[in-house]
Amino acid sequence: EEKIFLEPNLKIADVASRAGTCRTYVSNYINQQKGTSFSDYINEQRIHYAQQLLEHDASLPITYLAAATGFASEQSFVRNFRKFSSTPLRK
């Protein structure tokens, strides 16, 4: 509900602290249950959210999408969009 994955510079320790557990537990859970790393899991959630935003307004600029989804740069957003989405990204 909080969508903490949208926070820029989110660290595994931040998630662990909010969940009231240790970072090792969070890391192991994501690795074992989701089959991916923490950073890939967070970036995939961010891209999924970006796709939802684009469904409502396909004209949103990449600059806005990158900032709204917690990415540090447009380049990082585009790289991850290509990695986690089969939808072409309009420039």
Side-chain angles (χ1 to χ4, degrees):
E1 288 182 22
E2 287 185 49
K3 297 182 182 163
I4 64 171
F5 60 89
L6 298 176
E7 294 179 14
N9 303 314
L10 181 67
K11 306 272 189 282
I12 196 166
D14 302 328
V15 174
S17 176
R18 288 186 185 187
T21 190
C22 68
R23 61 185 305 278
T24 302
Y25 179 80
V26 174
S27 177
N28 288 341
Y29 176 83
I30 291 172
N31 288 328
Q32 293 172 2
Q33 299 297 316
K34 303 298 182 179
T36 191
S37 68
F38 174 78
S39 60
D40 276 352
Y41 180 74
I42 294 300
N43 288 336
E44 188 173 13
Q45 296 305 306
R46 290 173 172 173
I47 295 305
H48 179 70
Y49 184 71
Q51 290 172 317
Q52 291 174 346
L53 294 175
L54 287 168
E55 285 176 10
H56 294 290
D57 185 355
S59 67
L60 291 171
I62 292 174
T63 304
Y64 172 81
L65 289 168
T69 55
F71 285 98
S73 68
E74 289 179 45
Q75 294 82 6
S76 180
F77 172 78
V78 170
R79 183 178 62 252
N80 281 283
F81 195 92
R82 290 180 179 150
K83 181 176 182 177
F84 295 112
S85 175
S86 58
T87 306
L89 186 61
R90 171 198 54 76
K91 293 261 180 184

